[in-house]
Amino acid sequence: MTLHIEDEIKTAWSALTGDKESTGWLTVPVSATGTCKVMAARRFPENVEAILVGFELESSPDPKQLPKGKGFSVEVIYDVHLGSNYKWLGLVKLPTGSEDIFLGMIGDILDIVGRKGEVSQVSLFSVFLGRIRAWQDFMSRPNIELSSESEIGLFGELCMLEAILHSGVEASSAVDAWEGPLNGLQDFRLGHGAVEVKTTTAAQGLSVKIFSIDQLDDSIISPIFLSAVRLKVSSLGKTLPMMVKSIRILLLSQPIALADFDSRLLRAGYLDSHTDFYKRSFIINDIYNIIVDSSFPRLIKANVPSDITAIKYEINIDSVLSKGVSLDNMLNQLGVI
């Protein structure tokens, strides 16, 4: 979404002035791309600013199923002046919300929806709601940009996603398997198993942090692999934004998978407008894919006292690195290739 669209929306809001007797919506069409209808709007008598987006759906969405915004509300809009061919949703800025953040969110959402190509309106609507939920998660974060540790962790997960895509796993399945940004128990749920990715830039030793008593419990899901990614900071490598771009290129022919990927990036705390924060370049030194079985050093419910219900701990896995298998071997055991 280019800046001129955001300027167009601000200009439209300024032009939409009612009087003391005004009620309901005043709207101006926005020249957004895509198959949806988009209106800049003000609602009176509250005089609140909004963007209304129309979808060609058979029925209006259930208001109870809509996401609850932070600094904005998401509403089903019923207004005869908008026409009956579309079902309308409104993103309405709350008085406490920041206009700059609201405009940034709108620009991003319209960009995501506008570049979807030939997809059904139902799929487009799903993309729209998914992006709103991603923005909710992003706005809930304590920091604007990723910490150094989170940057490394996300880079490692993207290394794995890129490798899975190159292995021949279907794009939508690969992206759907990436559950790290969704607070999944493991970073990837693939086939009938899971993969937990741990990333380090340490030159010697490989320690991983485990944040749940269930994370490495193969009685819950099996098989579980721990993929240990060792990175090296090098000017010959890729920055985090470069890695993001590489994966987007792989997903260009799959617009829904690309939209899902972008939403998960946002939920992970990555925003394109913050790329200048991520200047470090990384190369992959090693990736070890280790099956988590009875010989793997771990704490699970079966080997800790029953009174202990939550734990966080750190494992030195140097002793099991020799048991690592190839990516194809791992994906074969997971049943996806």
Side-chain angles (χ1 to χ4, degrees), residues 115-126:
R115 58 179 156 99
K116 294 289 81 68
E118 295 298 322
V119 299
S120 71
Q121 286 283 292
V122 173
S123 296
L124 202 58
F125 179 69
S126 178

Side-chain angles (χ1 to χ4, degrees), residues 240-280:
L240 180 58
M242 292 167 66
M243 176 61 77
V244 168
K245 182 178 179 180
S246 295
I247 295 178
R248 283 176 172 157
I249 290 171
L250 293 176
L251 298 174
L252 275 179
S253 64
Q254 302 291 327
I256 296 300
L258 177 57
D260 191 11
F261 173 67
D262 283 339
S263 290
R264 291 176 194 236
L265 275 178
L266 187 57
R267 295 181 78 165
Y270 179 89
L271 195 62
D272 286 325
S273 60
H274 296 162
T275 55
D276 288 346
F277 286 115
Y278 311 118
K279 299 182 182 299
R280 291 183 297 177

Side-chain angles (χ1 to χ4, degrees), residues 14 26 38 83 120 165 171 204 209 217 259 332 334:
S14 297
L26 295 182
V38 181
S120 71
L165 288 166
Q204 300 294 327
K209 296 178 181 179
D217 192 342
N332 184 266
L334 290 166

Side-chain angles (χ1 to χ4, degrees), residues 42-192:
R42 280 186 183 274
R43 183 172 62 198
F44 294 92
E46 305 98 315
N47 194 27
V48 293
E49 298 166 337
I51 284 290
L52 309 185
V53 184
F55 297 88
E56 294 182 274
L57 303 174
E58 291 185 4
S59 59
S60 295
D62 183 352
K64 295 179 181 178
Q65 302 301 317
L66 298 180
K68 304 298 182 183
K70 296 183 180 299
F72 65 98
S73 64
V74 185
E75 304 176 12
V76 178
I77 305 299
Y78 303 98
D79 191 311
V80 294
H81 299 100
L82 294 172
S84 59
N85 294 333
Y86 290 84
K87 307 302 180 185
W88 292 87
L89 253 67
L91 301 180
V92 183
K93 186 175 78 68
L94 299 178
T96 56
S98 162
E99 182 175 289
D100 288 342
I101 294 176
F102 186 63
L103 277 168
M105 179 192 70
I106 287 173
D108 173 76
I109 290 172
L110 293 185
D111 182 45
I112 290 291
V113 172
R115 58 179 156 99
K116 294 289 81 68
E118 295 298 322
V119 299
S120 71
Q121 286 283 292
V122 173
S123 296
L124 202 58
F125 179 69
S126 178
V127 167
F128 178 79
L129 290 186
R131 197 61 173 174
I132 292 172
R133 293 189 175 100
W135 268 98
Q136 289 175 318
D137 281 2
F138 181 81
M139 290 179 177
S140 298
R141 298 178 62 86
N143 300 310
I144 295 176
E145 70 276 2
L146 294 169
S147 67
S148 176
E149 183 178 2
S150 295
E151 176 190 3
I152 292 168
L154 179 56
F155 192 98
E157 290 180 35
L158 294 182
C159 288
M160 179 55 63
L161 178 58
E162 184 181 47
I164 292 169
L165 288 166
H166 280 306
S167 75
V169 175
E170 198 270 330
S172 61
S173 297
V175 175
D176 189 58
W178 183 32
E179 295 193 353
L182 310 183
N183 297 316
L185 191 57
Q186 292 87 24
D187 293 316
F188 290 85
R189 286 291 185 103
L190 273 168
H192 46 260

